[in-house]
Amino acid sequence: MSPERRRKAEELAARYPRRQSALIPFLQYCQEQDGFVTRQAIRDGAEMCGLTEAEVESIASFYTLLFRQSVGKHLIQVCRTLSCMLRGAGELQEHIRRRLGVRNGETTPDGLFTYEEVECLAACDRAPCLQHNLMFHYNVTPDEFDRLLETWRASRPAVSLPAE
Ligand code: FES
């Protein structure tokens, strides 16, 4: 682990009664530094918490806001759970895949857009919903998506997760 990362690991671990509780904030920090949770971040997380790499890997791969590979400047996550599916998420997903020319989990060749279908985003009362770089959009129709896409193409925000 690099000295800088070790300093951050100790700072985060000091905030919790158990070191393992600091693992997710630590992985978020690593992601902010590297763009995604790298192999090295998994090793560092294991060292920090006294866990195996497999245990850290299982945690990193469980959360949709931790990325195991680099993502585009625009991360689009569409809910695929029941309420959204009943309210047109399937049609929306198909539309987005066609518009971007990608499948679930892929990034456009220009590196701008990553598309993911994720579990419930906890906005079921305003289904179908999606998140763009962690910002919610509700009751999204294919037409509304096209409007949003134009806005996003005009800007180039980076995905950034707050590290504790
Ligand atoms: S089912 Fe889509 S937000 Fe809950």
Side-chain angles (χ1 to χ4, degrees):
M1 194 181 318
S2 71
E4 184 192 342
R5 196 161 274 188
R6 187 176 302 284
R7 235 185 339 272
K8 187 67 181 180
E10 292 308 317
E11 179 197 318
L12 290 169
R15 296 183 192 176
Y16 301 92
R18 298 177 63 221
R19 294 180 75 79
Q20 280 118 337
S21 303
L23 180 59
I24 291 175
F26 178 73
L27 293 176
Q28 286 177 322
Y29 166 78
C30 294
Q31 177 167 277
E32 209 168 58
Q33 301 296 304
D34 302 331
F36 64 102
V37 178
T38 62
R39 205 60 247 156
Q40 184 62 49
I42 296 289
R43 279 193 288 272
D44 292 348
E47 183 185 331
M48 169 189 160
C49 296
L51 297 170
T52 66
E53 289 179 31
E55 287 169 323
V56 176
E57 177 71 51
S58 71
I59 290 164
S61 59
F62 178 78
Y63 291 101
T64 51
L65 293 181
L66 292 173
F67 313 125
R68 294 298 285 112
Q69 55 194 16
S70 67
V71 295
K73 300 272 184 206
H74 300 268
L75 175 64
I76 300 167
Q77 296 177 305
V78 179
C79 177
R80 64 177 172 201
T81 310
L82 187 61
S83 298
C84 286
M85 293 306 279
L86 289 173
R87 301 249 315 150
E91 182 194 352
L92 177 64
Q93 291 161 1
E94 195 180 318
H95 178 77
I96 296 173
R97 290 192 298 262
R98 197 171 47 246
R99 280 303 309 266
L100 298 179
V102 294
R103 289 176 298 190
N104 180 22
E106 290 182 344
T107 300
T108 54
D110 59 8
L112 278 183
F113 294 95
T114 296
Y115 170 69
E116 271 188 337
E117 293 162 13
V118 299
E119 302 308 327
C120 181
L121 291 168
C124 321
D125 59 326
R126 287 174 279 179
C129 75
L130 64 78
Q131 276 191 326
H132 165 259
N133 290 358
L134 310 186
M135 286 271 301
F136 275 98
H137 296 273
Y138 307 107
N139 302 308
V140 182
T141 62
D143 284 347
E144 172 66 3
F145 176 80
D146 289 345
R147 196 190 62 73
L148 291 168
L149 188 58
E150 290 311 307
T151 310
W152 298 334
R153 279 194 199 285
S155 67
R156 297 198 168 198
V159 174
S160 177
L161 294 174
E164 283 288 310

